[in-house]
Amino acid sequence: MRRSSRAGDPNAECGMRNSERPTARAGFTLVELMIAVTVLSLILTSLCGIYFAVANEWQRQDGRGTALAATSNACTKLSDYICQAKGVVVLNRFTTGDAIAVNLPANTANGIYVPTWSSGKMQYQTGNWIVFYLSNSSGSYGVSGNILWAATMTWAGFPGSVTPDSAWSLYYDQPKGRIAPISSLQFTLTSDSLPRVTIVATSQYATKTTQSQVRLTRTVCLQNAY
C-alpha cells in the first residue's frame, strides 16, 4: 500500500489542529456598553416621567371629583331644607355666616308641609328648628371640622340645646361623614320681597405639594316664608 506523501508532515498536522480549533467569540467593547447603558437610562427616565405625570393627574382628578361631589351634595341637601323653611337665621360660629338655623313648617300631610288658616289667611306655622354646620366626627357644635352636620335645636339654652343627628350626618354611625370633605360653608340671607339664602360651599384637595379647591355657589328662595 502506498503511503501518502504528507504522512508524518508536521506542518500538515499543525494545520489540521488549527482548523479544528473554535474561533473566539467577539464581545462588546466598552464604548458599546456605555452607549447601551445611556440609551437604557434615557428610556427608563422617560418611562418614569410618564408614570409620575399620569399618577399626579390621576390624583388631581380624583381629588377634584371628591371635592366636586362633596360641594354639590352639600348645596343640594341644604337647598332642600332651606326652600321649604318658614324662616332662617344665619349664625356666626368661627367665621361670619358659617352656620344656619332653619325653621321648618309645623304641619304635614303625607310628608308634605301644608299651611293652615291663621290670622285671616292661609299660612305656614312655625315648627322645629334644625341647624346645619361643619364639625368633626363628634358633631359638637363648638368644634370645627369638614363634615356637614344637621342637628335639632331650641333657642332656649342655645347653643347648649343643639343635639347632633348622627344618622343624618354619618355613615351608619361610623366616624365618616356622609357629606365630606367640606372645608368651609358660608350663608348669606337676603331679606326683601323675595327672601333667599346664598350658599357657598368650598372643598379643598391636595395635588402633590399644592392645595386646590372647588367652590360652589347656590341661591335658594324660601318658598314658604309668606
Side-chain angles (χ1 to χ4, degrees):
M1 180 179 296
R2 184 179 179 181
R3 291 186 177 181
S4 172
S5 61
R6 298 182 60 86
D9 188 348
N11 293 330
E13 293 179 0
C14 182
M16 184 179 297
R17 287 196 297 268
N18 290 337
S19 63
E20 293 176 354
R21 183 180 300 170
T23 304
R25 185 176 180 180
F28 292 104
T29 65
L30 180 60
V31 174
E32 291 173 334
L33 286 175
M34 292 179 64
I35 293 174
V37 170
T38 302
V39 172
L40 182 60
S41 299
L42 292 175
I43 294 174
L44 291 177
T45 301
S46 300
L47 290 176
C48 288
I50 294 172
Y51 170 79
F52 285 116
V54 171
N56 290 336
E57 180 63 17
W58 180 88
Q59 183 184 27
R60 188 184 73 84
Q61 292 293 344
D62 182 64
R64 179 175 174 79
T66 301
L68 185 60
T71 53
S72 179
N73 289 338
C75 287
T76 299
K77 279 288 188 181
L78 292 167
S79 298
D80 290 343
Y81 284 87
I82 293 173
C83 72
Q84 301 179 81
K86 179 73 171 63
V88 299
V89 176
V90 175
L91 304 170
N92 305 323
R93 296 166 63 229
F94 303 106
T95 60
T96 302
D98 62 347
I100 190 169
V102 177
N103 179 221
L104 297 176
N107 304 298
T108 61
N110 298 321
I112 300 175
Y113 295 109
V114 294
T116 58
W117 185 263
S118 178
S119 301
K121 62 180 180 180
M122 295 293 292
Q123 58 183 340
Y124 292 95
Q125 303 301 309
T126 298
N128 296 326
W129 284 89
I130 299 178
V131 60
F132 296 95
Y133 56 96
L134 295 178
S135 184
N136 59 11
S137 58
S138 70
S140 174
Y141 184 77
V143 176
S144 62
N146 62 4
I147 299 174
L148 178 61
W149 276 85
T152 58
M153 57 160 287
T154 60
W155 290 110
F158 179 82
S161 61
V162 173
T163 303
D165 185 354
S166 59
W168 189 95
S169 308
L170 300 178
Y171 276 114
Y172 306 104
D173 291 330
Q174 298 298 314
K176 179 181 179 182
R178 291 182 181 272
I179 301 177
I182 302 294
S183 55
S184 68
L185 273 177
Q186 186 176 23
F187 303 93
T188 304
L189 173 62
T190 302
S191 299
D192 51 21
S193 59
L194 185 63
R196 57 195 180 276
V197 174
T198 299
I199 309 165
V200 180
T202 305
S203 179
Q204 294 183 341
Y205 61 96
T207 303
K208 203 173 181 179
T209 58
T210 61
Q211 285 285 337
S212 301
Q213 66 180 21
V214 171
R215 176 170 294 171
L216 189 62
T217 301
R218 188 171 298 180
T219 300
V220 187
C221 295
L222 278 68
Q223 301 175 7
N224 297 334
Y226 301 101

PDB file of all heavy atoms in Angstrom, residues 37-56:
ATOM      1  N   VAL A  37     -26.001  51.510  27.900  1.00  0.00           N
ATOM      2  CA  VAL A  37     -26.445  51.980  29.219  1.00  0.00           C
ATOM      3  C   VAL A  37     -27.081  53.362  29.116  1.00  0.00           C
ATOM      4  O   VAL A  37     -28.104  53.652  29.751  1.00  0.00           O
ATOM      5  CB  VAL A  37     -25.261  51.988  30.204  1.00  0.00           C
ATOM      6  CG1 VAL A  37     -25.645  52.701  31.498  1.00  0.00           C
ATOM      7  CG2 VAL A  37     -24.810  50.572  30.506  1.00  0.00           C
ATOM      8  N   THR A  38     -26.509  54.230  28.301  1.00  0.00           N
ATOM      9  CA  THR A  38     -27.056  55.579  28.133  1.00  0.00           C
ATOM     10  C   THR A  38     -28.448  55.538  27.514  1.00  0.00           C
ATOM     11  O   THR A  38     -29.377  56.213  27.974  1.00  0.00           O
ATOM     12  CB  THR A  38     -26.121  56.423  27.252  1.00  0.00           C
ATOM     13  OG1 THR A  38     -24.819  56.480  27.854  1.00  0.00           O
ATOM     14  CG2 THR A  38     -26.664  57.830  27.083  1.00  0.00           C
ATOM     15  N   VAL A  39     -28.613  54.730  26.467  1.00  0.00           N
ATOM     16  CA  VAL A  39     -29.925  54.607  25.819  1.00  0.00           C
ATOM     17  C   VAL A  39     -30.952  54.036  26.786  1.00  0.00           C
ATOM     18  O   VAL A  39     -32.092  54.513  26.878  1.00  0.00           O
ATOM     19  CB  VAL A  39     -29.814  53.735  24.558  1.00  0.00           C
ATOM     20  CG1 VAL A  39     -31.196  53.437  23.991  1.00  0.00           C
ATOM     21  CG2 VAL A  39     -28.950  54.420  23.510  1.00  0.00           C
ATOM     22  N   LEU A  40     -30.544  52.998  27.544  1.00  0.00           N
ATOM     23  CA  LEU A  40     -31.457  52.397  28.513  1.00  0.00           C
ATOM     24  C   LEU A  40     -31.849  53.400  29.591  1.00  0.00           C
ATOM     25  O   LEU A  40     -33.014  53.459  30.013  1.00  0.00           O
ATOM     26  CB  LEU A  40     -30.799  51.170  29.144  1.00  0.00           C
ATOM     27  CG  LEU A  40     -31.654  50.381  30.154  1.00  0.00           C
ATOM     28  CD1 LEU A  40     -32.920  49.863  29.482  1.00  0.00           C
ATOM     29  CD2 LEU A  40     -30.845  49.224  30.738  1.00  0.00           C
ATOM     30  N   SER A  41     -30.897  54.210  30.035  1.00  0.00           N
ATOM     31  CA  SER A  41     -31.191  55.223  31.051  1.00  0.00           C
ATOM     32  C   SER A  41     -32.189  56.247  30.530  1.00  0.00           C
ATOM     33  O   SER A  41     -33.107  56.661  31.250  1.00  0.00           O
ATOM     34  CB  SER A  41     -29.899  55.921  31.483  1.00  0.00           C
ATOM     35  OG  SER A  41     -28.988  55.004  32.046  1.00  0.00           O
ATOM     36  N   LEU A  42     -32.022  56.656  29.283  1.00  0.00           N
ATOM     37  CA  LEU A  42     -32.958  57.618  28.694  1.00  0.00           C
ATOM     38  C   LEU A  42     -34.363  57.037  28.608  1.00  0.00           C
ATOM     39  O   LEU A  42     -35.357  57.717  28.891  1.00  0.00           O
ATOM     40  CB  LEU A  42     -32.464  58.037  27.305  1.00  0.00           C
ATOM     41  CG  LEU A  42     -31.180  58.879  27.266  1.00  0.00           C
ATOM     42  CD1 LEU A  42     -30.743  59.109  25.823  1.00  0.00           C
ATOM     43  CD2 LEU A  42     -31.400  60.215  27.971  1.00  0.00           C
ATOM     44  N   ILE A  43     -34.448  55.770  28.225  1.00  0.00           N
ATOM     45  CA  ILE A  43     -35.765  55.123  28.126  1.00  0.00           C
ATOM     46  C   ILE A  43     -36.425  55.032  29.495  1.00  0.00           C
ATOM     47  O   ILE A  43     -37.608  55.355  29.666  1.00  0.00           O
ATOM     48  CB  ILE A  43     -35.623  53.730  27.490  1.00  0.00           C
ATOM     49  CG1 ILE A  43     -35.169  53.852  26.032  1.00  0.00           C
ATOM     50  CG2 ILE A  43     -36.944  52.964  27.570  1.00  0.00           C
ATOM     51  CD1 ILE A  43     -34.866  52.526  25.370  1.00  0.00           C
ATOM     52  N   LEU A  44     -35.655  54.593  30.509  1.00  0.00           N
ATOM     53  CA  LEU A  44     -36.211  54.466  31.857  1.00  0.00           C
ATOM     54  C   LEU A  44     -36.617  55.823  32.423  1.00  0.00           C
ATOM     55  O   LEU A  44     -37.648  55.947  33.093  1.00  0.00           O
ATOM     56  CB  LEU A  44     -35.190  53.794  32.777  1.00  0.00           C
ATOM     57  CG  LEU A  44     -34.908  52.313  32.493  1.00  0.00           C
ATOM     58  CD1 LEU A  44     -33.829  51.787  33.436  1.00  0.00           C
ATOM     59  CD2 LEU A  44     -36.181  51.481  32.637  1.00  0.00           C
ATOM     60  N   THR A  45     -35.812  56.851  32.153  1.00  0.00           N
ATOM     61  CA  THR A  45     -36.153  58.194  32.625  1.00  0.00           C
ATOM     62  C   THR A  45     -37.458  58.677  32.006  1.00  0.00           C
ATOM     63  O   THR A  45     -38.315  59.254  32.687  1.00  0.00           O
ATOM     64  CB  THR A  45     -35.020  59.176  32.295  1.00  0.00           C
ATOM     65  OG1 THR A  45     -33.807  58.729  32.914  1.00  0.00           O
ATOM     66  CG2 THR A  45     -35.351  60.574  32.786  1.00  0.00           C
ATOM     67  N   SER A  46     -37.629  58.425  30.723  1.00  0.00           N
ATOM     68  CA  SER A  46     -38.865  58.825  30.048  1.00  0.00           C
ATOM     69  C   SER A  46     -40.063  58.078  30.614  1.00  0.00           C
ATOM     70  O   SER A  46     -41.125  58.664  30.860  1.00  0.00           O
ATOM     71  CB  SER A  46     -38.746  58.565  28.544  1.00  0.00           C
ATOM     72  OG  SER A  46     -37.678  59.304  27.985  1.00  0.00           O
ATOM     73  N   LEU A  47     -39.899  56.769  30.840  1.00  0.00           N
ATOM     74  CA  LEU A  47     -40.997  55.973  31.389  1.00  0.00           C
ATOM     75  C   LEU A  47     -41.370  56.437  32.792  1.00  0.00           C
ATOM     76  O   LEU A  47     -42.554  56.523  33.138  1.00  0.00           O
ATOM     77  CB  LEU A  47     -40.611  54.491  31.405  1.00  0.00           C
ATOM     78  CG  LEU A  47     -40.504  53.808  30.035  1.00  0.00           C
ATOM     79  CD1 LEU A  47     -40.026  52.369  30.196  1.00  0.00           C
ATOM     80  CD2 LEU A  47     -41.850  53.833  29.313  1.00  0.00           C
ATOM     81  N   CYS A  48     -40.357  56.745  33.613  1.00  0.00           N
ATOM     82  CA  CYS A  48     -40.635  57.234  34.970  1.00  0.00           C
ATOM     83  C   CYS A  48     -41.358  58.575  34.924  1.00  0.00           C
ATOM     84  O   CYS A  48     -42.286  58.826  35.700  1.00  0.00           O
ATOM     85  CB  CYS A  48     -39.333  57.365  35.755  1.00  0.00           C
ATOM     86  SG  CYS A  48     -38.587  55.784  36.224  1.00  0.00           S
ATOM     87  N   GLY A  49     -40.936  59.443  34.007  1.00  0.00           N
ATOM     88  CA  GLY A  49     -41.605  60.735  33.873  1.00  0.00           C
ATOM     89  C   GLY A  49     -43.059  60.581  33.481  1.00  0.00           C
ATOM     90  O   GLY A  49     -43.941  61.258  34.025  1.00  0.00           O
ATOM     91  N   ILE A  50     -43.326  59.670  32.545  1.00  0.00           N
ATOM     92  CA  ILE A  50     -44.709  59.418  32.123  1.00  0.00           C
ATOM     93  C   ILE A  50     -45.525  58.849  33.277  1.00  0.00           C
ATOM     94  O   ILE A  50     -46.671  59.249  33.517  1.00  0.00           O
ATOM     95  CB  ILE A  50     -44.727  58.464  30.917  1.00  0.00           C
ATOM     96  CG1 ILE A  50     -44.088  59.138  29.698  1.00  0.00           C
ATOM     97  CG2 ILE A  50     -46.148  58.023  30.596  1.00  0.00           C
ATOM     98  CD1 ILE A  50     -43.896  58.215  28.515  1.00  0.00           C
ATOM     99  N   TYR A  51     -44.925  57.912  34.023  1.00  0.00           N
ATOM    100  CA  TYR A  51     -45.637  57.288  35.148  1.00  0.00           C
ATOM    101  C   TYR A  51     -46.028  58.324  36.195  1.00  0.00           C
ATOM    102  O   TYR A  51     -47.178  58.373  36.646  1.00  0.00           O
ATOM    103  CB  TYR A  51     -44.761  56.210  35.780  1.00  0.00           C
ATOM    104  CG  TYR A  51     -45.309  55.685  37.084  1.00  0.00           C
ATOM    105  CD1 TYR A  51     -46.339  54.748  37.099  1.00  0.00           C
ATOM    106  CD2 TYR A  51     -44.809  56.155  38.301  1.00  0.00           C
ATOM    107  CE1 TYR A  51     -46.851  54.280  38.297  1.00  0.00           C
ATOM    108  CE2 TYR A  51     -45.319  55.692  39.499  1.00  0.00           C
ATOM    109  CZ  TYR A  51     -46.334  54.752  39.494  1.00  0.00           C
ATOM    110  OH  TYR A  51     -46.848  54.300  40.681  1.00  0.00           O
ATOM    111  N   PHE A  52     -45.071  59.171  36.589  1.00  0.00           N
ATOM    112  CA  PHE A  52     -45.363  60.165  37.624  1.00  0.00           C
ATOM    113  C   PHE A  52     -46.349  61.214  37.123  1.00  0.00           C
ATOM    114  O   PHE A  52     -47.184  61.706  37.885  1.00  0.00           O
ATOM    115  CB  PHE A  52     -44.071  60.825  38.103  1.00  0.00           C
ATOM    116  CG  PHE A  52     -43.238  59.947  38.991  1.00  0.00           C
ATOM    117  CD1 PHE A  52     -41.982  59.524  38.594  1.00  0.00           C
ATOM    118  CD2 PHE A  52     -43.724  59.526  40.221  1.00  0.00           C
ATOM    119  CE1 PHE A  52     -41.217  58.700  39.409  1.00  0.00           C
ATOM    120  CE2 PHE A  52     -42.965  58.702  41.041  1.00  0.00           C
ATOM    121  CZ  PHE A  52     -41.707  58.288  40.638  1.00  0.00           C
ATOM    122  N   ALA A  53     -46.274  61.555  35.850  1.00  0.00           N
ATOM    123  CA  ALA A  53     -47.232  62.518  35.299  1.00  0.00           C
ATOM    124  C   ALA A  53     -48.647  61.951  35.329  1.00  0.00           C
ATOM    125  O   ALA A  53     -49.605  62.637  35.704  1.00  0.00           O
ATOM    126  CB  ALA A  53     -46.834  62.885  33.870  1.00  0.00           C
ATOM    127  N   VAL A  54     -48.782  60.675  34.950  1.00  0.00           N
ATOM    128  CA  VAL A  54     -50.099  60.028  34.978  1.00  0.00           C
ATOM    129  C   VAL A  54     -50.604  59.893  36.413  1.00  0.00           C
ATOM    130  O   VAL A  54     -51.781  60.137  36.700  1.00  0.00           O
ATOM    131  CB  VAL A  54     -50.028  58.647  34.291  1.00  0.00           C
ATOM    132  CG1 VAL A  54     -51.320  57.869  34.501  1.00  0.00           C
ATOM    133  CG2 VAL A  54     -49.756  58.811  32.802  1.00  0.00           C
ATOM    134  N   ALA A  55     -49.706  59.521  37.335  1.00  0.00           N
ATOM    135  CA  ALA A  55     -50.105  59.367  38.738  1.00  0.00           C
ATOM    136  C   ALA A  55     -50.560  60.697  39.329  1.00  0.00           C
ATOM    137  O   ALA A  55     -51.571  60.762  40.046  1.00  0.00           O
ATOM    138  CB  ALA A  55     -48.944  58.796  39.551  1.00  0.00           C
ATOM    139  N   ASN A  56     -49.835  61.769  39.029  1.00  0.00           N
ATOM    140  CA  ASN A  56     -50.217  63.090  39.545  1.00  0.00           C
ATOM    141  C   ASN A  56     -51.547  63.551  38.967  1.00  0.00           C
ATOM    142  O   ASN A  56     -52.378  64.131  39.673  1.00  0.00           O
ATOM    143  CB  ASN A  56     -49.125  64.112  39.226  1.00  0.00           C
ATOM    144  CG  ASN A  56     -47.865  63.881  40.034  1.00  0.00           C
ATOM    145  OD1 ASN A  56     -47.906  63.287  41.109  1.00  0.00           O
ATOM    146  ND2 ASN A  56     -46.736  64.336  39.514  1.00  0.00           N
TER     147      ASN A  56
END
